[in-house]
Amino acid sequence: MDYSTYFTNHSTEEISADLLGRPLTYNDGKRTLGGYIVEAEAYLGKKDRAAHSYGGHRSPANEGLYGRGGTIYIYAQRQYFFFDVATQAKDEPQGVLIRAIEPAWGIEQMISNRSGKNGILLTNGPAKMMQAFGIHDKNWDLHFLSDSPFAIDLNDQHQKRPQEIAKSARIGVNQSELEWANKPLRFFVAGNPYVSRMKKNDYRANNGWQ
């Protein structure tokens, strides 16, 4: 299955859930860094008050969301960077924010990129993940996944299977928009310690994988 097909043939919620356990990697020019996706948030475009494209807002800053499914959308908040992938057809600005990965490849380099942070602090949040990859700019914004150093392995045989896929409200959504702040559009591997804000008491054996 190619990226265009994968990121357009299902709802954004279904894609967000299905991404869990799939390998996300980044080639920094010398080595491959990455891990298994454990947390992803769906953003539902023009109707979604938490989406950057709410109401059809369109600007150079969020143009990546308007690309065809499989287009990278990188945005910045203060000095931090976040990795999204557009879903649905061109000009239907929905997307998935990859919030966390369980590290698997290039771990020592990722620790170095995070100034020595390791363990669950290495990649248990979207900005931490990008720091671990050594990314501090938007250079790959607007690129299609297959034309970038990022890759999401869509081979089902390489996907880890969660024991349980949990859902919750998204993190950091303005509570003044209660309808959208409370929608269960955050998908994560239940009990995986690399999920942001996962409590120790909720950790599961085998990090929540089958």
Side-chain angles (χ1 to χ4, degrees):
M1 184 186 302
D2 63 26
Y3 290 131
S4 293
T5 301
Y6 179 83
F7 284 104
T8 57
N9 274 11
H10 299 281
S11 72
T12 300
E13 299 101 306
E14 290 171 325
I15 293 167
S16 299
D18 186 73
L19 283 170
L20 299 178
R22 295 193 183 276
L24 167 64
T25 56
Y26 172 74
N27 189 313
D28 68 0
K30 297 180 180 178
R31 61 191 69 78
T32 296
L33 315 176
Y36 295 93
I37 298 170
V38 297
E39 183 182 6
E41 287 181 341
Y43 287 86
L44 306 185
K46 298 173 184 179
K47 65 181 180 181
D48 184 347
R49 288 181 176 272
H52 293 168
S53 54
Y54 171 63
H57 172 71
R58 189 169 188 170
S59 72
N62 76 344
E63 185 63 27
L65 283 174
Y66 286 84
R68 60 186 170 124
T71 299
I72 295 169
Y73 169 48
I74 295 176
Y75 68 92
Q77 288 184 350
R78 299 180 298 277
Q79 74 270 35
Y80 301 115
F81 293 85
F82 300 80
F83 179 82
D84 300 59
V85 181
T87 58
Q88 310 311 316
K90 184 175 175 12
D91 293 327
E92 178 53 54
Q94 300 188 33
V96 176
L97 168 66
I98 307 301
R99 285 196 54 90
I101 59 172
E102 180 181 298
W105 301 280
I107 293 174
E108 290 304 316
Q109 183 61 49
M110 289 196 289
I111 290 172
S112 176
N113 290 343
R114 287 274 291 135
S115 301
K117 296 282 183 10
N118 58 21
I120 63 170
L121 294 178
L122 183 58
T123 54
N124 67 336
K128 295 175 185 179
M129 182 187 82
M130 291 291 267
Q131 289 173 352
F133 288 164
I135 296 172
H136 304 283
D137 55 47
K138 296 174 59 176
N139 284 350
W140 294 106
D141 182 41
L142 300 175
H143 285 72
F144 198 69
L145 269 170
S146 57
D147 299 322
S148 81
F150 292 94
I152 296 174
D153 189 340
L154 299 180
N155 186 332
D156 290 345
Q157 294 182 343
H158 300 159
Q159 183 180 18
K160 285 193 171 188
R161 299 295 178 178
Q163 296 171 17
E164 178 190 352
I165 293 176
K167 296 192 296 184
S168 78
R170 294 170 292 188
I171 292 175
V173 174
N174 189 336
Q175 292 297 310
S176 67
E177 302 294 353
L178 286 178
E179 177 190 359
W180 287 95
N182 294 326
K183 284 186 180 293
L185 294 173
R186 171 179 171 250
F187 300 82
F188 58 94
V189 178
N192 188 286
Y194 288 93
V195 171
S196 54
R197 302 187 183 181
M198 181 64 68
K199 296 178 181 178
K200 285 186 177 181
N201 289 342
D202 294 328
Y203 290 1
R204 293 191 181 182
N206 200 32
N207 286 358
W209 304 114
Q210 291 181 7

